[in-house]
Amino acid sequence: MIKTQVLILDFGSQYTQLLARRVREANVYTEVLSFDVSCDKIKKYPNLKAIILSGGPASVYLKDAYQIDEAILDLPVAILGVCYGMQLLTNHFQGKVELANKQEFGKSTLYIDQPDNKLFTNIVNKSEVWMSHADHVTKIPKNFIEIAHSDNAMAAFAHLTRPIYGIQFHAEVTHSEYGKEIIANFLFAIANCTKDWGLDDFITNQIEAIKNEVQNKQVILGLSGGLDSSVAAAIIAKAIGKQLTCIFVDTGLLRKNEAIAVMKTYQENFTLNLVMIDASKQFFAALKGVKNPEEKRKIIGKQFIDVFTTAAKKIKTAKFLAQGTIYPDIIESSSKDATSKTIKTHHNVGGLPDDLQFKLLEPLKTLFKDEVRAIGLQLGLPETLINRHPFPGPGLGVRVIEEVTKEKCLILQEVDDIFISKLKAHNLYHKVSQAFATLLPVKTVGVMGDNRTYDYVVSLRSVSTIDFMTATSSHLPWDFLDEVANEIINKVSAVNRVVYDITSKPPGTIEWE
Ligand code: XMP
């Protein structure tokens, strides 16, 4: 039984999920809620010990800045404001926040002024922290004292009598030398949290919960071959075995031999019913003549849902639909950041029609990606499945630029297979986060032997990233790229030119479409 709950109110910082990770790593259960949650909703958490106010891009002094239900700040729990969160506290408790003359972005030095403060137990007086702010506190709020500063700003303050703290720096970012310790001090020395969140009990509890919920009914699940749906399938299969039917749709947009490999993995590792549907003809027909990336994504998503629902309806006794939804999916789809824009429409088994009449079963919905990976390993999923690079839902549909045809997918599958096999052979696959090839809608002139060629260009892309929100291109060895390019041109007759994409994200995205 979880005795401690911590809530993080999200003001739109790119680091909010990192904050949640740090709290969970300290073995404390946390959830991220949108900043505009009501105090009444928060009061329903029976074991709430602390609230953390995240950073965010807004300026607290502007008219339309994000505000919270102020009653939240009167709750008898510990409060930590981080960056924008600190500025929000300042505003509320009658201090002042202004645009700084010297704004701080990146590494900064933290000087602790009150070393005896509980927030700084066992932390040296001078250390490195990560700052990212244009505004800063210029007048300390009533009944607070400054407990740390940086070269240009008030870096931390504490309420004189209540457990309320503000930090201007991002303790959740690994560049903050003692960030982990500061968060732990807040959780344990100030908020009196207990360490009672861990993955060990998670599997046992979930299996019990799934058995209780499903009873003797049937469950269906759409398998993609990716991590989340596989781990969901594994944990449900452990609970109810053959009452689970997994449906795997071969869209024709998968990697070379992927459909066969995925089926083999599941058959070897699980006791469950597994159905594969070859829907490739249907997908290619729907994509004929379509060039626009968003339109292609929508078509692929709709086809997927059509094929899946038709298959699901045939399993008459199925009452539950299982999905590999994980916590970031929920946070991302619930936080309403007024400034956020749709860059790409992501299609997973998300948008199922309302009339499907299934109850949802989402056993991983409180977990982060690396927690899902850890659970997968504990459940005995093969390492090759757990640590494979991500593959987008629309697959090669967004890696064949412009019109997608079966012929182009076959070319791309060969190119991609050479690139990935070589990365594995050279022990580079696990050193990069995601690698793949893209087929461009361009033909160029080349010469092979004594003949002129006029064939396709492919781009190779490999990125390093922690969270896939930002990424840099991998510095793959030149000799290696040379070897890959040569093999592609020699073995894939439709391709006569290979380029390497060195764009980082932002400004580029990882996929080309
Ligand atoms: P971008 O291209 O947006 O990709 O920088 C970030 C990460 O997401 C993957 N991706 C998708 N994954 N459905 C998915 O499940 C999608 O529609 C989708 N589009 C992109 C991409 O491969 C990268 O890992």
Side-chain angles (χ1 to χ4, degrees):
M1 171 67 188
I2 295 170
K3 295 197 213 73
T4 291
Q5 293 163 321
V6 171
L7 291 179
I8 296 173
L9 303 195
D10 181 18
F11 292 89
S13 162
Q14 50 176 329
Y15 302 131
T16 303
Q17 287 196 34
L18 266 186
L19 257 177
R21 288 295 305 123
R22 295 291 168 261
V23 176
R24 291 228 184 145
E25 274 164 15
N27 297 106
V28 173
Y29 181 75
T30 186
E31 285 180 27
V32 177
L33 301 178
S34 177
F35 69 92
D36 56 0
V37 59
S38 70
C39 186
D40 286 340
K41 184 165 175 204
I42 289 186
K43 281 184 187 158
K44 293 193 179 125
Y45 286 78
N47 302 317
L48 188 65
K49 295 278 192 216
I51 294 173
I52 302 178
L53 311 172
S54 84
S59 282
V60 79
Y61 45 77
L62 294 181
K63 207 170 73 241
D64 54 355
Y66 298 152
Q67 300 296 348
I68 54 171
D69 179 345
E70 296 202 327
I72 293 172
L73 301 176
D74 293 329
L75 291 172
V77 296
I79 295 174
L80 175 67
V82 178
C83 194
Y84 182 85
M86 177 190 194
Q87 296 165 6
L88 186 109
L89 290 173
T90 308
N91 222 24
H92 176 82
F93 290 101
Q94 292 144 37
K96 193 162 191 170
V97 175
E98 289 175 293
L99 185 65
N101 286 332
K102 289 197 172 162
Q103 306 175 346
E104 294 174 304
F105 293 97
K107 285 180 185 167
S108 218
T109 307
L110 177 76
Y111 304 94
I112 294 177
D113 303 316
Q114 301 274 332
D116 294 336
N117 190 289
K118 287 181 187 169
L119 194 66
F120 298 132
T121 306
N122 291 329
I123 291 167
V124 299
N125 283 350
K126 185 180 167 197
S127 66
E128 207 162 74
V129 288
W130 189 258
M131 291 279 196
S132 180
H133 66 108
D135 297 336
H136 67 177
V137 178
T138 50
K139 185 178 141 220
I140 190 150
K142 259 191 193 156
N143 295 324
F144 279 77
I145 49 160
E146 181 169 357
I147 56 172
H149 67 278
S150 66
D151 286 323
N152 300 305
M154 187 181 301
F157 61 40
H159 193 279
L160 287 170
T161 54
R162 294 181 53 195
I164 302 181
Y165 287 78
I167 52 177
Q168 183 57 69
F169 55 92
H170 288 276
E172 67 277 23
V173 172
T174 46
H175 305 294
S176 290
E177 231 178 316
Y178 290 92
K180 237 178 164 170
E181 289 78 0
I182 291 171
I183 290 172
N185 285 340
F186 172 73
L187 294 172
F188 303 115
I190 294 162
N192 298 320
C193 292
T194 41
K195 294 190 173 208
D196 50 19
W197 163 256
L199 296 181
D200 296 345
D201 301 330
F202 182 88
I203 297 178
T204 329
N205 293 342
Q206 274 303 319
I207 288 177
E208 226 23 62
I210 293 167
K211 279 184 180 157
N212 283 337
E213 184 161 10
V214 173
Q215 303 278 335
N216 58 356
K217 306 285 189 310
Q218 295 285 322
V219 179
I220 49 166
L221 181 145
L223 267 188
S224 70
L227 180 73
D228 304 341
S229 63
S230 298
V231 176
I235 198 163
I236 298 169
K238 267 248 177 340
I240 57 166
K242 291 231 163 194
Q243 279 167 260
L244 171 66
T245 300
C246 290
I247 299 172
F248 177 67
V249 180
D250 180 357
T251 58
L253 307 170
L254 301 168
R255 286 195 148 124
K256 188 179 175 185
N257 298 331
E258 176 104 335
I260 298 164
V262 168
M263 290 297 283
K264 195 160 163 262
T265 306
Y266 289 113
Q267 273 152 351
E268 281 171 1
N269 290 282
F270 304 112
T271 307
L272 41 72
N273 296 313
L274 186 54
V275 181
M276 186 177 93
I277 299 166
D278 181 355
S280 49
K281 277 204 185 111
Q282 184 174 328
F283 275 79
F284 288 127
L287 287 165
K288 195 166 183 323
V290 184
K291 289 184 173 179
N292 180 288
E294 274 302 283
E295 212 180 310
K296 289 195 315 189
R297 281 174 174 269
K298 290 195 173 122
I299 289 171
I300 294 167
K302 181 173 180 311
Q303 285 302 315
F304 193 88
I305 289 163
D306 284 354
V307 174
F308 182 78
T309 45
T310 308
K313 277 182 188 152
K314 288 191 188 140
I315 302 166
K316 289 270 183 295
T317 50
K319 286 281 173 294
F320 289 88
L321 171 69
Q323 296 198 116
T325 315
I326 67 170
Y327 199 40
D329 302 335
I330 292 177
I331 303 176
E332 271 161 28
S333 53
S334 69
S335 76
K336 16 179 165 28
D337 180 349
T339 61
S340 82
K341 296 203 166 65
T342 303
I343 307 290
K344 292 174 185 182
T345 311
H346 279 214
H347 278 296
N348 298 318
V349 198
L352 288 164
D354 296 339
D355 62 355
L356 200 61
Q357 306 289 328
F358 288 112
K359 257 187 101 177
L360 277 185
L361 194 63
E362 297 176 305
L364 311 177
K365 70 175 176 200
T366 58
L367 302 181
F368 285 99
K369 196 82 166 182
D370 47 344
E371 292 174 322
V372 173
R373 214 170 259 132
I375 298 272
L377 277 177
Q378 283 192 28
L379 287 167
L381 284 176
E383 204 269 337
T384 44
L385 202 154
I386 302 279
N387 290 324
R388 71 211 293 252
H389 292 174
F391 186 69
L396 302 187
V398 290
R399 291 182 178 173
V400 170
I401 305 304
E402 297 198 341
E403 188 187 11
V404 183
T405 62
K406 184 175 176 188
E407 293 66 35
K408 287 183 183 172
C409 283
L410 290 174
I411 296 170
L412 187 56
Q413 280 180 342
E414 292 304 322
V415 172
D416 181 80
D417 188 53
I418 292 172
F419 186 29
I420 300 299
S421 307
K422 287 264 177 216
L423 281 167
K424 287 181 178 161
H426 286 258
N427 273 333
L428 290 166
Y429 183 79
H430 291 301
K431 296 202 174 113
V432 302
S433 312
Q434 185 173 9
F436 59 93
T438 303
L439 184 74
L440 310 192
V442 177
K443 286 192 171 184
T444 66
V445 174
V447 52
M448 238 177 158
D450 291 328
N451 292 320
R452 176 187 190 269
T453 59
Y454 187 58
D455 288 315
Y456 284 114
V457 185
V458 290
S459 145
L460 305 181
R461 182 143 172 78
S462 173
V463 293
S464 302
T465 169
I466 292 176
D467 53 12
F468 296 89
M469 309 285 279
T470 60
T472 50
S473 76
S474 322
H475 292 207
L476 292 175
W478 198 252
D479 290 347
F480 168 78
L481 287 172
D482 231 8
E483 189 182 320
V484 175
N486 272 332
E487 183 146 336
I488 291 170
I489 288 169
N490 284 325
K491 291 205 171 146
V492 188
S493 60
V495 174
N496 72 351
R497 194 174 294 266
V498 178
V499 296
Y500 187 60
D501 178 1
I502 57 165
T503 320
S504 54
K505 172 183 178 177
T509 50
I510 294 175
E511 305 288 345
W512 280 43
E513 286 193 335

